[in-house]
Amino acid sequence: MEPLSRFFSPRAIAVIGGGTWCESVVRQCRAAGFAGPIWPVHPGKAKVGGLFAYPDLAALPGTPDAAFIGVNRTLTVEVVSKLSSMGCGGAVCFAAGFSEAVSELSDGAALQTELVAAAGGMRLLGPNCYGMVNALDQVTLWPDRHGMTPCDSGVAVIGQSSNVLINLTMQRRGLPLAVVVAAGNQAQTSMVDLGIALLEDPRITALGLHIEGIGDLPAFERLARRARDLGKPVAALKVGSSGQAQAAAVSHTASVTGSDAGARALLRRLGIAQVDTPAEWVETLKLLHVTGGLASTRIASASCSGGEASLMADMGEAAGVVFPPLEPGQRAALRAALGPKVALANPLDYNTYIWGDEAALAACFSALCDADLALGCVVVDFPRDDRFDAPEYDLVLRAAAAANVATGTPMALVSLLAEGLPEAVAARALRHGITPLCGMGEALRAIRAAAGIGGRGARDGAMPEPVLIPKELQGAIRIYSEAEAKALLRAAGIRVPKSTRAASAEAAGTAAAAIGFPVVLKGEGIAHKTEAGAVALNLASAEAVREAAETMPAERFLVEEMITGCVAELLVGVIRDPAHGFVLTLGLGGILAELIGDTASVLVPARRDEVADALAGLRTAALLTGYRGRAAADMQALLDTVMAMQEFVRLHADRLQEVEINPLICRATDAVAADALIRMGESR
């Protein structure tokens, strides 16, 4: 297979087709300053885009390294075959009507298969895509407007939506875009292939991914591993959702876990920063470009306004960043820089006493950031440059740069509103090594997204174990009865209550006496027993058991020992998510699981310490550790249960749809699966 570097940095380009789109490709590539030859190809036009056109590929004076194919879908296959035979490095397939249109065109999938076969060892981008813009080498295989300009280094972005990428190139926030690629259908060359090739380019500082779906988990893990090895951070804007992980909302797990939870767990596991909006994506990529990633969420903020300091504090708390209290050394240095009238705090309102004094501003920012911080922020909105000349504002920028040099702490300018840092100001900040963050809310969320993936070149620890890949389901899926589910979990090493099944109310009373009172009575064959009135707790006699059984909408019953001494009730569930693996969800359990929604998700297999961290991150984690003097749960028994469930999932990965314990009753001495549900195919 041809190396993608040849396609991305071609010496000669061919443009096949004579329509408006191809005219645009030729003109834009010339306007971008591409230094090599551009060879339009069209059988009936003398010129395309102002350049002499060759009648066919055979007439070209040489072999193109890259081509843009702007003809209809059927002819595209023929052209791809000829280019491949010539030894072309790669081609953009602009035409649509392939696998993305199978519902409209019955031959779409078959034609895409033909296209890939025709390409052979030549790289194929698309089909159904706009192509790419490489501002590093002034290459524009792109049939529409774009807002990129030549640069020496910067961020690469790959996406599936060409229009989203066009809009991204038009941003005015100062993001240095080096390469933008539309992946299209990814018939041959995937987002992972493109990403790894771009990361290998030393001029690329960070990678942005606009992901609509992840089709190959091992490949995506390979991309993350290569990014980690190269010390280059990745930020993803993941969109789209799938009902595959919620095929039927039988369990509480299926109600609170879905494709989004699986995607977030995957990206977090692989050390990829995830954002929720395009604006956050742009700000995060700027931060990654300058810093390579932040070591933590610990930051400092300086502004000349108490209102701005308060907004930073409030919005920072909501975003999940931390403003550590000032240390004695910081306080002393700040007092020396600001005098006695300024209240010292983080975020800091340095007032206006030193406004316009560059040396004093630098001393203030240096004093504030001379600590164990991931980032120092200076809040400043520049006046409208179409109405004012305000050279004193540049003093703030230079002072922030001086603080960066003096302390080694990465620095950022943060504006209250996005327009508060005009594009020209953002460019000046980048030249000084300062990150321009446009819009306080987006800035703080970008800081949170960039935290924890480490500084440039620093990737501590080993890559996680590969995700357990869901295999093709074997056998018809059925819901196992609670008794069957608990028997399987007991065999896996999970503690379950003593129990007996009964075929009548009378037999249930007799069974209860044998187990010993108090007991729990449950009607069998009902998924949500509490809602159906099929659970009775703390029954203290055989007569009470019989009476309870007679009122339940069930013909068979499960009689169990009553588990007392509960410290906390948890939900522990694993659900098959074909896009991301098996998603393990932990959270507050019982009948309020969906209402409270206090859950955390990781992917199987998760290490014991990852599970412990996920539990510690729950809002209700204090219930497990002894809230207000209450007994603490046996955390080792709890972790043993979760690890045993993961092993159960691994053993049954070819037929398991989901498994859930809800509640897992956590006690001071053990953890007991009080209720369980399994949806799984029969063993062969």
Side-chain angles (χ1 to χ4, degrees):
M1 190 67 68
E2 285 286 343
L4 276 165
S5 57
R6 181 184 172 199
F7 170 70
F8 281 131
S9 303
R11 291 168 296 179
I13 291 171
V15 180
I16 298 94
T20 302
W21 300 112
C22 292
E23 293 265 359
S24 179
V25 171
V26 173
R27 293 185 188 281
Q28 290 203 59
C29 211
R30 291 180 70 192
F34 177 67
I38 304 170
W39 299 322
V41 178
H42 194 276
K45 287 189 173 183
K47 288 187 176 182
V48 174
L51 295 183
F52 169 78
Y54 295 86
D56 53 41
L57 290 172
L60 293 182
T63 300
D65 297 296
F68 182 92
I69 306 173
V71 298
N72 67 59
R73 67 188 190 115
T74 304
L75 187 55
T76 292
V77 177
E78 180 183 333
V79 171
V80 163
S81 179
K82 290 180 180 179
L83 285 169
S84 178
S85 298
M86 292 175 63
C88 180
V92 174
C93 293
F94 178 62
F98 294 88
S99 65
E100 85 287 351
V102 290
S103 59
E104 294 83 16
L105 298 170
S106 60
D107 65 341
L111 195 63
Q112 182 159 304
T113 300
E114 289 181 37
L115 182 70
V116 173
M122 182 183 74
R123 284 292 183 176
L124 192 69
L125 187 61
N128 183 37
C129 79
Y130 267 35
M132 64 98 172
V133 180
N134 176 358
L136 299 168
D137 299 311
Q138 293 80 58
V139 178
T140 308
L141 295 178
W142 190 268
D144 206 338
R145 297 180 180 89
H146 67 85
M148 295 170 64
T149 56
C151 63
D152 296 324
S153 68
V155 171
V157 174
I158 308 169
Q160 290 171 265
S161 168
S162 299
N163 207 53
V164 167
L165 294 175
I166 290 174
N167 295 337
L168 179 68
T169 71
M170 302 297 178
Q171 55 82 34
R172 301 182 184 183
R173 294 169 175 247
L175 174 64
L177 280 171
V179 179
V180 167
V181 186
N185 291 7
Q186 304 179 71
Q188 178 217 65
T189 302
S190 69
M191 185 176 287
V192 167
D193 298 328
L194 296 165
I196 291 176
L198 291 170
L199 287 168
E200 298 286 354
D201 189 325
R203 299 170 295 177
I204 298 297
T205 56
L207 179 65
L209 301 175
H210 175 232
I211 304 171
E212 294 179 7
I214 297 172
D216 187 338
L217 278 172
F220 203 74
E221 290 176 313
R222 187 170 70 252
L223 169 64
R225 188 177 303 111
R226 190 60 187 141
R228 183 189 185 97
D229 291 344
L230 292 168
K232 294 186 179 182
V234 183
L237 177 62
K238 173 69 173 68
V239 298
S241 61
S242 168
Q244 290 174 306
Q246 299 183 31
V250 173
S251 70
H252 294 280
T253 306
S255 298
V256 300
T257 304
S259 182
D260 183 63
R264 289 181 182 277
L266 176 66
L267 296 173
R268 185 169 57 248
R269 180 188 185 96
L270 297 179
I272 294 174
Q274 184 174 5
V275 297
D276 295 317
T277 70
E280 292 171 31
W281 195 32
V282 169
E283 300 310 310
T284 301
L285 286 170
K286 280 190 287 184
L287 197 52
L288 297 180
H289 167 73
V290 175
T291 70
L294 302 179
S296 72
T297 58
R298 291 167 51 87
I299 69 171
S301 171
S303 65
C304 65
S305 160
E308 289 173 336
S310 296
L311 284 170
M312 284 291 283
D314 291 347
M315 297 171 73
E317 181 177 12
V321 304
V322 177
F323 295 96
L326 297 176
E327 298 174 357
Q330 289 172 286
R331 286 184 169 277
L334 284 169
R335 184 60 69 206
L338 298 174
K341 297 181 181 180
V342 176
L344 302 182
N346 183 24
L348 174 69
D349 168 17
Y350 61 83
N351 218 292
T352 55
Y353 298 113
I354 59 172
W355 183 256
D357 185 336
E358 183 176 338
L361 287 167
C364 171
F365 301 158
S366 298
L368 180 64
C369 295
D370 192 14
D372 180 21
L373 298 169
L375 185 71
C377 298
V378 177
V379 180
V380 59
D381 282 65
F382 280 63
R384 290 180 56 143
D385 55 9
D386 60 338
R387 298 183 183 179
F388 307 100
D389 290 324
E392 69 274 18
Y393 280 78
D394 280 335
L395 303 181
V396 179
L397 193 163
R398 293 199 297 269
N404 171 233
V405 173
T407 66
T409 300
M411 299 294 293
L413 298 185
V414 176
S415 62
L416 178 65
L417 301 176
E419 55 267 33
L421 286 179
E423 191 170 18
V425 174
R428 291 202 297 274
L430 288 170
R431 287 196 293 271
H432 282 285
I434 305 301
T435 306
L437 295 176
C438 303
M440 192 176 286
E442 291 96 335
L444 289 163
R445 289 189 291 274
I447 291 167
R448 180 65 188 87
I453 62 175
R456 178 165 289 129
R459 297 291 184 269
D460 297 331
M463 280 290 290
E465 187 178 347
V467 170
L468 179 62
I469 305 297
K471 302 175 183 177
E472 184 177 354
L473 284 172
Q474 302 295 321
I477 301 298
R478 74 175 178 90
I479 299 175
Y480 284 60
S481 71
E482 183 179 347
E484 291 175 309
K486 285 180 174 175
L488 288 169
L489 295 179
R490 181 189 297 111
I494 294 173
R495 164 89 159 90
V496 300
K498 292 181 291 184
S499 64
T500 302
R501 301 175 78 179
S504 67
E506 187 68 29
T510 303
I515 290 175
F517 298 103
V519 297
V520 176
L521 179 69
K522 300 176 181 179
E524 290 199 313
I526 301 170
H528 298 294
K529 298 179 181 64
T530 301
E531 292 90 328
V535 177
L537 306 176
N538 207 28
L539 300 175
S541 67
E543 181 179 357
V545 172
R546 286 193 294 271
E547 290 177 354
E550 289 170 353
T551 66
M552 289 185 180
E555 296 180 356
R556 299 185 62 85
F557 306 93
L558 183 65
V559 186
E560 293 185 330
E561 66 172 311
M562 179 76 184
I563 304 299
T564 59
C566 175
V567 171
E569 292 186 350
L570 290 186
L571 175 148
V572 181
V574 177
I575 194 163
R576 170 190 292 263
D577 180 345
H580 308 109
F582 286 94
V583 183
L584 167 64
T585 297
L586 308 161
L588 184 67
I591 62 173
L592 299 179
E594 292 163 286
L595 180 63
I596 301 300
D598 183 19
T599 61
S601 294
V602 294
L603 294 182
V604 177
R607 299 189 313 269
R608 194 179 182 93
D609 63 312
E610 289 179 277
V611 174
D613 288 344
L615 289 167
L618 297 174
R619 297 194 305 273
T620 50
L623 294 175
L624 297 171
T625 55
Y627 181 67
R628 293 200 170 188
R630 297 176 60 184
D634 185 340
M635 289 301 298
Q636 296 310 309
L638 169 54
L639 293 172
D640 287 343
T641 300
V642 177
M643 300 309 289
M645 179 180 276
Q646 291 192 85
E647 178 61 15
F648 175 83
V649 172
R650 187 189 67 79
L651 291 173
H652 301 285
D654 61 338
R655 58 194 185 100
L656 181 69
Q657 183 67 41
E658 65 177 312
V659 54
E660 176 187 274
I661 299 172
N662 183 31
L664 178 69
I665 296 180
C666 302
R667 305 195 293 182
T669 55
D670 61 7
V672 185
D675 199 355
L677 179 143
I678 292 176
R679 281 203 303 148
M680 187 166 66
E682 297 284 3
S683 60
R684 292 179 294 175

